[in-house]
Amino acid sequence: MFQGYSADKFFDEMFSSDGTVRDHCEPLHQKFKNFDKDDFLARKATSELYFMRQGITFNVYGDDKGTEKIFPFDPVPRVIPANEWEHIEAGLTQRIVALNLFLHDVYHDQEILKDEVIPRHYIDDAVNFRKEFRHVDVPKDIYIQICGSDLIRGADGTYYVLEDNARCPSGASYLLENRNSLKRAFPALFDTLGVRPVDSYPRDLLNMLHHISPRREGEPVCVLLTPGCYNSAYFEHCYLARRMGIEIVEGRDLVVMDNFVYMRTTKGLVRVDVIYRRIDDDFIDPVVFRKDSVLGVPGLMNAYIAGNVALANAVGTGIADDKVIYHFVPKMIEYYLGQKPILPNVPTYLPSEEKDMDYVMKHLPELVVKAANESGGYGMLMGPQASKDEIEKFRGLIKADPRNYIAQPVISLSQSPTWCDGAMEGRHIDLRPYIIYGEDVKIVPGGLTRVALNKGSLVVNSSQGGGSKDTWVLK
């Protein structure tokens, strides 16, 4: 299975630079070595059939080849030893606590701006800073209840935080179904290897929703608010609602009366206490935000401000998603917690700073440039792989709106053995762990390992041709 496999010059998750198998991967390596190729391919086909029958899909906007696609899955898991996971877990916990303290501060007293740790104009000019919600209290002072912070691993094996997804992070359903698929197709892989389970995620998610409910008596009524079946993550919305045992609703299913939110049912109106929303701020209430939105609930923000309904995540968390604000997270950790960051950021240049602008303009062909509020691999320039025309186009975009861009050096993402084109080859990966912040911080052991299935590509997003793997955290 691994004959001819090359780790090249990248950090490989299974093999050391001298070609020997890493100790924590040896049991898995032995099991795969014992597979007959035909048996392996038959089991791989079983996992793909499972995804098809379960309808495990995603949508790509603007793709003329079809709306829904089966999520590509590679059956060779990514393995993380217990000591590495403890480090990741501590770093992510530190990070989400600091981000929540920042959000509470920036929507209330703004001490971090007064002390000039973050220049005020970066907040005032941010498209996702909701000035309307200054001094609005949120349940338990928690703004980001669900976070998906993307991690990458550099050539030296160091884990870096690439970005924080603090609004409506997606992908948890694929994490859960990757595990289910692998167990069905390769049940013997799990024997004696001590892999930590991931199936607590829906329960932890529901417990968090109950924790932030404004109504304390009786069982809170929680719903998942979806934009509808044409959203790229609609499969996940249905999946998580079903696993939690709560209703999935669209905006038209909810109505606001006397600053309370009610769900329309066949038996009449039912009061709603908590909304797990998968709709961005701009579309959630046409009275306050986009007037042309037909996805949201008119008057929802009145009920929210009155404290009669809780939202996960809170309105205004997009400021923490801003890639320019990402640059300041290490300073937030030091400012609010008095600690050094456990997980470092990728070095980041801000073209809105004169010195950084000079550097970016001189080194643009060597850098990765990202728009501050884009996601999914859109609005990005991979300098070393870009044409001269693309580089010049971005040069103009950056000069025209420097606040809207960041630039970073190219990090050689780690790679993991992946079955591609009839052979086992190294493909670049990242990791999206899922953090739930309720009564305490819960992190599902592992996360979604995304794979750049195109050879040499560093872009792992499903919308750009990526797939995923099961992620094993060892006990």
Side-chain angles (χ1 to χ4, degrees):
M1 294 294 290
F2 293 93
Q3 187 174 0
Y5 183 86
S6 172
D8 298 320
K9 60 183 181 297
F10 305 107
F11 185 95
D12 192 276
E13 297 289 338
M14 183 175 283
F15 295 93
S16 300
S17 56
D18 61 2
T20 59
V21 181
R22 300 186 188 277
D23 289 344
H24 63 275
C25 290
E26 184 61 44
L28 179 69
H29 180 258
Q30 286 299 326
K31 285 183 179 291
F32 269 99
K33 276 180 64 177
N34 292 333
F35 277 120
D36 172 82
K37 182 178 177 180
D38 290 340
D39 182 30
F40 170 80
L41 291 176
R43 292 173 183 272
K44 183 176 184 295
T46 297
S47 69
E48 292 167 352
L49 183 62
Y50 173 80
F51 271 65
M52 187 174 297
R53 285 178 172 170
Q54 295 296 315
I56 303 170
T57 62
F58 68 99
N59 294 350
V60 178
Y61 302 128
D63 190 331
D64 57 8
K65 296 179 182 177
T67 304
E68 283 194 298
K69 296 180 180 296
I70 299 297
F71 198 67
F73 173 65
D74 181 73
V76 186
R78 183 243 193 100
V79 184
I80 301 175
N83 62 319
E84 275 184 19
W85 180 249
E86 288 173 7
H87 176 76
I88 291 170
E89 202 169 32
L92 293 174
T93 300
Q94 178 193 59
R95 197 169 180 100
I96 196 171
V97 170
L99 283 168
N100 272 286
L101 290 170
F102 161 72
L103 286 166
H104 183 271
D105 182 20
V106 84
Y107 282 108
H108 288 80
D109 298 332
Q110 299 192 333
E111 297 293 341
I112 199 167
L113 307 185
K114 294 172 185 175
D115 290 338
E116 300 181 348
V117 177
I118 300 176
R120 181 176 292 276
H121 67 88
Y122 282 124
I123 302 298
D124 291 341
D125 296 343
V127 297
N128 286 309
F129 180 60
R130 305 302 182 187
K131 298 179 178 66
E132 307 93 330
F133 290 87
R134 284 288 311 277
H135 305 295
V136 173
D137 293 325
V138 301
K140 314 293 185 183
D141 289 337
I142 303 172
Y143 286 77
I144 307 171
Q145 289 88 2
I146 307 125
C147 188
S149 292
D150 292 340
L151 305 182
I152 60 172
R153 208 167 189 190
D156 62 353
T158 299
Y159 284 99
Y160 295 90
V161 179
L162 185 64
E163 64 183 31
D164 300 291
N165 296 284
R167 280 175 288 179
C168 305
S170 63
S173 60
Y174 304 125
L175 173 161
L176 298 169
E177 286 294 5
N178 284 351
R179 178 64 54 87
N180 290 335
S181 173
L182 200 64
K183 279 185 173 180
R184 283 170 169 80
F186 296 85
L189 284 183
F190 293 85
D191 296 344
T192 72
L193 291 185
V195 181
R196 291 181 61 180
V198 297
D199 54 4
S200 65
Y201 182 82
R203 181 176 66 251
D204 293 338
L205 189 57
L206 182 61
N207 287 341
M208 177 276 293
L209 297 179
H210 284 186
H211 178 69
I212 63 172
S213 171
R215 183 161 54 165
R216 301 265 55 97
E217 75 283 354
E219 183 89 353
V221 175
C222 306
V223 299
L224 189 153
L225 177 60
T226 177
C229 62
Y230 294 106
N231 184 263
S232 62
Y234 185 65
F235 162 79
E236 172 160 296
H237 303 167
C238 298
Y239 179 89
L240 290 177
R242 185 173 68 251
R243 290 290 303 272
M244 287 190 286
I246 67 175
E247 296 293 333
I248 183 169
V249 298
E250 296 182 27
R252 60 192 175 186
D253 300 318
L254 301 178
V255 61
V256 177
M257 299 169 58
D258 299 325
N259 287 344
F260 287 91
V261 180
Y262 296 90
M263 172 174 52
R264 293 185 172 98
T265 75
T266 55
K267 296 181 180 179
L269 297 178
V270 175
R271 180 181 159 189
V272 173
D273 304 299
V274 185
I275 299 174
Y276 173 25
R277 51 95 170 222
R278 298 298 295 258
I279 295 178
D280 281 344
D281 291 354
D282 283 342
F283 301 96
I284 202 166
D285 184 345
V287 175
V288 176
F289 299 117
R290 284 186 55 159
K291 311 302 181 190
D292 60 344
S293 173
V294 295
L295 302 175
V297 185
L300 176 58
M301 291 301 97
N302 288 335
Y304 178 61
I305 292 171
N308 295 329
V309 69
L311 295 179
N313 288 339
V315 171
T317 57
I319 184 64
D321 258 4
D322 189 310
K323 291 179 175 61
V324 172
I325 302 305
Y326 154 91
H327 170 79
F328 296 99
V329 175
K331 291 185 177 181
M332 293 178 201
I333 292 170
E334 294 191 30
Y335 182 78
Y336 294 114
L337 303 178
Q339 301 169 359
K340 294 291 184 183
I342 295 170
L343 294 171
N345 274 15
V346 175
T348 302
Y349 301 96
L350 304 182
S352 47
E353 301 290 330
E354 186 176 348
K355 186 173 75 170
D356 284 10
M357 173 67 96
D358 291 341
Y359 181 87
V360 170
M361 289 296 108
K362 289 176 182 175
H363 297 87
L364 200 52
E366 307 160 23
L367 299 171
V368 178
V369 177
K370 301 175 184 176
N373 293 287
E374 292 284 355
S375 60
Y378 297 105
M380 186 168 75
L381 174 78
M382 295 291 294
Q385 299 172 9
S387 67
K388 287 184 178 179
D389 287 346
E390 289 171 323
I391 289 171
E392 291 310 307
K393 173 189 172 184
F394 265 81
R395 193 184 302 277
L397 292 171
I398 294 168
K399 286 181 177 178
D401 188 5
R403 166 61 179 82
N404 193 43
Y405 292 93
I406 65 167
Q408 297 171 328
V410 176
I411 302 292
S412 297
L413 274 63
S414 65
Q415 66 174 31
S416 185
T418 304
W419 188 261
C420 293
D421 302 323
M424 200 72 79
E425 298 182 352
R427 289 293 189 271
H428 293 298
I429 59 173
D430 76 350
L431 176 65
R432 177 175 288 183
Y434 293 89
I435 313 155
I436 297 174
Y437 193 179
E439 190 169 4
D440 50 17
V441 176
K442 302 272 190 185
I443 305 176
V444 63
L448 181 66
T449 291
R450 300 183 298 179
V451 189
L453 294 174
N454 297 323
K455 189 174 182 64
S457 174
L458 296 174
V459 182
V460 300
N461 306 82
S462 56
S463 56
Q464 308 291 320
S468 69
K469 291 173 170 286
D470 192 13
T471 308
W472 288 9
V473 172
L474 302 182
K475 297 178 181 176

